[in-house]
């Protein structure tokens, strides 16, 4: 099936603070609309679940309508509805799942409840075409830091490792606070780091040589805070660019090292990086350098598709439809800790 | 007239279809934790039982609470999304109004539901159709006066409000919600109904205002509490 005969899938994502609505036809992206409540969370220094849930309810209908308008479609053109069933914030997921069920029921089309992490993997196909089977995926954001083996994103995804404490993006937020940079920290650290040296301070790399594919960022975060506090207590000025660059270097060093270890161990030649932290310029550069040296092909979707969005959910839904997977029932729960072994529910 | 009504603002997940004269189909399940799983199948079931499609509906009506927010949002999100696909208007009715409407009491009385955190959501009614005060959220000690208390909020705190004041029903029924909405929709023109769908639900101070405003509104939640969140101070030191 190609072109205009392929089914049109509406995707809904509400696992955190973004109300994302995407529409795809096969691997073609028709619309990707986002309403974010990030501004409301910024003053709290982190995402407040109840604030996010309230915002999803307000934003859903206008976001869906604007996605349809952008795609030049009407509700009656939609052939299937996909929704993030987990993992994520329970109350936030529930709003998206309720909306998706109502759209599927109202339109008389099948519903697909999908895994948020698998959707982060599937979205790259909208930009770079079919994903080689198997591939390794590194997903890094404020909510997740995972290494996945992806034999087939519609059928099977295997967890190889994940963070044992903070998510990588969380460490960026916390270090940004220590350095007096605003929330969310990722873009601010990235920007500050461009003026500094990644070799200025040798911050610890958690689990660097422990032989696992797991991550740990809590020790690094604390080490940065101690280092900064010690300098401040001594009345020294702290170079924000140097600390930002050195912290960032420690994070991306561990991330890329373990990602390439995963490729080597599993004999996989394709690495995909997704999640909000994939927008980090140093992560992209170092990953490219190390992939080139190891003969691994690197795929990173454009930043707008790396952060949480509805297109990724629609992309995975479309994959499930094409694979002939049975739709979900209207009884599916939102599961805040949905394991990656459940690509769809 | 055909009204599809549902409510997820209490442990009861309810859905009903009303033709302006009677309830055509109804579904009630008591489960405080599974609103998101139970509602859509219940809606599908009552539509099928009555042999009705969404496009046949005059309106979709959802309980706007107050009630625990996670469950409450399921009903309102469902109403809004169903309404946009079917091209029919969606309205909200205060959940406490539906409980009041279903009581046998001639009035006056209170309606109270579980607000968790040892509090109740409550409102005061002059008669089953007229809300005079509320909705509000308070400790059960602070419920006013001697009036009978309708709803689970009174039963849960019978030792505080006094067992003699407890009255029924315990939970709202979608049948009552649909009947109340149908009664209010019947005399309205399409334009008037559309106007009502935009009036925000709020506190009302007079009988006239209550009769005018308290029943049909937009399908938006009545929260009554601000989100729990604190603006952080300076970062905590990791070194003592
Ligand atoms: Zn994500």
């Amino acid at each position: 099936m190609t072109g205009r005969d392929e089914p049109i899938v509406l995707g809904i994502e509400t696992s955190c603070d973004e109300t994302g609505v995407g529409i795809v036809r096969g691997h073609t992206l028709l619309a990707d609309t986002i309403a974010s409540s990030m501004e409301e969370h910024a003053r709290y220094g982190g995402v407040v679940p109840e604030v996010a849930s309230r915002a999803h309810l307000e934003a859903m209908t206008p976001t869906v309508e604007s996605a349809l308008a952008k795609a030049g479609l009407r509700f009656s053109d939609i052939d299937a509805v996909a929704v993030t069933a987990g993992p994520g914030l329970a109350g936030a997921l529930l709003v998206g799942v309720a909306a998706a069920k109502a759209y599927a029921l109202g339109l008389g089309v099948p519903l697909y409840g999908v895994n948020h992490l698998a959707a982060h993997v599937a979205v790259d196909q909208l930009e770079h075409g079919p994903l080689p089977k198997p591939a390794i995926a590194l997903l890094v954001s404020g909510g997740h830091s995972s290494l996945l083996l992806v034999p087939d994103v519609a059928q099977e995804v295997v967890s190889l490792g994940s963070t044992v404490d903070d998510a990588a993006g969380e460490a960026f937020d916390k270090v940004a606070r220590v350095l007096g940079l605003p929330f969310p920290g990722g873009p601010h650290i990235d920007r500050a780091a461009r003026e500094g040296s990644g070799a200025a301070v040798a911050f610890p790399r958690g689990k660097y040589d422990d032989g696992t594919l797991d991550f740990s960022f809590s020790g690094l975060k604390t080490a940065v805070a101690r280092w900064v506090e010690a300098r401040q207590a001594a009345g020294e000025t702290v170079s924000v660019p140097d600390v930002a660059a050195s912290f960032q270097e420690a994070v991306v060093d561990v991330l890329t090292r373990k990602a390439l270890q995963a490729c080597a161990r599993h004999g996989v030649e394709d690495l995909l990086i997704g999640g909000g932290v994939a927008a980090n310029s140093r992560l992209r550069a170092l990953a490219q350098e190390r992939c080139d040296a190891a003969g691994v092909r690197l795929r990173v979707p454009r930043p707008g598709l790396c952060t949480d969005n509805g297109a990724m959910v629609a992309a995975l839904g479309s994959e499930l439809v094409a694979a002939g997977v049975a739709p979900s029932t209207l009884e599916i729960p939102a599961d805040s800790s949905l394991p990656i072994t459940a690509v769809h529910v | 007239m055909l009204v599809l009504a549902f409510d997820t603002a209490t442990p009861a997940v309810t859905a009903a279809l009303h033709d302006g004269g009677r309830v055509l189909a109804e579904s009630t399940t008591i489960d405080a934790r599974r609103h998101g799983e139970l509602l859509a199948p219940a809606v599908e079931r009552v539509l099928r039982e009555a042999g009705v499609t969404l496009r046949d509906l005059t309106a979709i009506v959802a309980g706007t609470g107050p009630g625990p927010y996670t469950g409450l949002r399921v009903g309102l999100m469902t109403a809004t999304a169903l309404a946009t696909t079917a091209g029919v208007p969606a309205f909200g009715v205060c959940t406490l109004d539906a409980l009041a409407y279903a009581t046998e009491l001639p009035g006056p009385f209170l309606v109270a539901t579980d607000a968790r955190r040892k509090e109740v959501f409550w409102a005061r009614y002059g008669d089953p159709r007229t809300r005079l005060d509320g909705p509000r959220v308070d400790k059960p000690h602070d419920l006013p006066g001697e009036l009978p208390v309708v709803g689970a909020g009174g039963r849960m705190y019978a030792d505080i409000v006094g067992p003699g004041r407890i009255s029924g029903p315990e939970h709202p029924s979608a049948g009552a919600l649909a009947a109340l909405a149908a009664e209010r929709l019947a005399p309205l023109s399409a334009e008037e109904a559309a106007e009502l769908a935009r009036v925000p639900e709020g506190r009302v101070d007079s009988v006239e205002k209550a009769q005018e405003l308290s029943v049909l509104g937009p399908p938006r939640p009545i929260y009554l509490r601000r989100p729990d969140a604190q603006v952080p101070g300076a970062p905590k030191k990791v070194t003592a």
Side-chain angles (χ1 to χ4, degrees), chain A residues 13 15-16 87 116-117 120 139-144 275-276 306-309 312:
Chain A
E13 152 63 33
S15 68
C16 192
H116 178 82
L117 296 180
H120 267 304
L139 300 183
V140 269
S141 74
H144 18 270
C306 281
T307 45
D308 293 349
N309 61 77
M312 68 193 222

Side-chain angles (χ1 to χ4, degrees), chain A residues 154-172:
Chain A
Q155 305 284 358
E156 188 189 8
V157 178
V158 180
S159 174
L160 300 178
S162 60
T163 182
V164 297
D165 39 54
D166 295 354
E170 243 179 303
F172 272 88

Side-chain angles (χ1 to χ4, degrees), chain A residues 181-277:
Chain A
L181 299 171
F183 174 86
H188 297 281
I189 296 233
D190 194 354
R191 206 169 303 129
R194 281 174 212 163
E195 313 293 318
S197 162
V201 190
F203 287 127
R205 274 102 164 123
K207 304 185 78 61
Y208 199 68
D209 281 315
D210 72 342
T212 73
L213 294 173
D214 289 329
F215 304 104
S216 166
F217 297 108
S218 174
L220 168 61
K221 165 199 78 187
T222 309
V224 174
R226 279 182 197 280
W227 193 92
V228 170
E229 283 167 24
R231 295 302 170 289
Q232 286 170 340
E236 297 171 31
T237 49
V238 171
S239 161
V240 170
D242 279 347
V243 174
S246 299
F247 157 75
Q248 176 175 279
E249 195 63 24
V251 174
V252 305
D253 182 14
V254 182
L255 289 174
T256 53
R257 175 185 169 89
K258 297 229 170 183
L260 282 148
Q261 280 177 348
C263 291
R265 279 185 207 180
H266 293 272
V268 174
E269 292 176 342
D270 291 273
L271 172 65
L272 167 80
I273 304 184
V277 178

Side-chain angles (χ1 to χ4, degrees), chain A residues 3-344:
Chain A
R4 305 200 67 84
D5 295 336
E6 289 180 302
I8 295 177
V9 180
L10 175 75
I12 293 176
E13 152 63 33
T14 63
S15 68
C16 192
D17 62 301
E18 323 269 10
T19 311
V21 177
I23 304 175
V24 304
R25 178 193 279 122
H27 286 170
T28 308
L29 179 60
L30 302 180
D32 183 23
T33 311
I34 299 266
S36 174
S37 55
M38 185 47 82
E39 276 183 24
E40 294 170 61
H41 303 290
R43 66 197 202 94
Y44 300 112
V47 171
V48 181
E50 176 63 20
V51 171
S53 300
R54 291 185 182 194
H56 287 309
L57 177 62
E58 293 288 316
M60 184 59 67
T61 308
T63 310
V64 167
E65 279 169 358
S66 117
L68 285 168
K70 261 185 207 161
L73 296 172
R74 286 175 307 182
F75 269 121
S76 55
D77 296 316
I78 302 296
D79 297 306
V81 178
V83 63
T84 300
L89 301 171
L93 287 168
L94 201 54
V95 176
V97 170
K101 287 178 179 180
Y103 289 129
L105 176 61
L107 298 171
V109 301
L111 171 75
Y112 292 87
V114 307
N115 189 298
H116 178 82
L117 296 180
H120 267 304
V121 176
V123 73
D124 185 60
Q125 306 191 113
L126 300 177
E127 202 172 350
H128 299 122
L131 193 67
K133 298 177 185 179
I136 295 287
L138 170 67
L139 300 183
V140 269
S141 74
H144 18 270
S145 308
S146 294
L147 260 173
L148 307 172
L149 172 65
V150 187
D152 178 348
V153 71
Q155 305 284 358
E156 188 189 8
V157 178
V158 180
S159 174
L160 300 178
S162 60
T163 182
V164 297
D165 39 54
D166 295 354
E170 243 179 303
F172 272 88
D173 290 337
K174 288 175 181 167
V175 167
R177 266 194 86 199
V178 166
L179 293 177
L181 299 171
F183 174 86
H188 297 281
I189 296 233
D190 194 354
R191 206 169 303 129
R194 281 174 212 163
E195 313 293 318
S197 162
V201 190
F203 287 127
R205 274 102 164 123
K207 304 185 78 61
Y208 199 68
D209 281 315
D210 72 342
T212 73
L213 294 173
D214 289 329
F215 304 104
S216 166
F217 297 108
S218 174
L220 168 61
K221 165 199 78 187
T222 309
V224 174
R226 279 182 197 280
W227 193 92
V228 170
E229 283 167 24
R231 295 302 170 289
Q232 286 170 340
E236 297 171 31
T237 49
V238 171
S239 161
V240 170
D242 279 347
V243 174
S246 299
F247 157 75
Q248 176 175 279
E249 195 63 24
V251 174
V252 305
D253 182 14
V254 182
L255 289 174
T256 53
R257 175 185 169 89
K258 297 229 170 183
L260 282 148
Q261 280 177 348
C263 291
R265 279 185 207 180
H266 293 272
V268 174
E269 292 176 342
D270 291 273
L271 172 65
L272 167 80
I273 304 184
V277 178
N280 182 275
S281 61
R282 182 57 191 152
L283 174 60
R284 285 176 176 241
L286 189 61
Q288 191 64 63
E289 198 178 293
R290 290 183 172 177
C291 281
D292 290 346
V296 168
R297 287 178 294 267
L298 176 65
R299 298 160 66 112
V300 190
R302 62 181 158 81
L305 294 180
C306 281
T307 45
D308 293 349
N309 61 77
M312 68 193 222
V313 179
L316 181 52
S318 174
E319 201 70 18
L320 296 172
V321 174
V325 168
S328 309
T329 67
L330 289 177
E331 280 100 49
I332 57 164
D335 183 350
S336 59
S337 53
L338 186 68
I340 188 60
T341 43
V343 170
H344 50 86

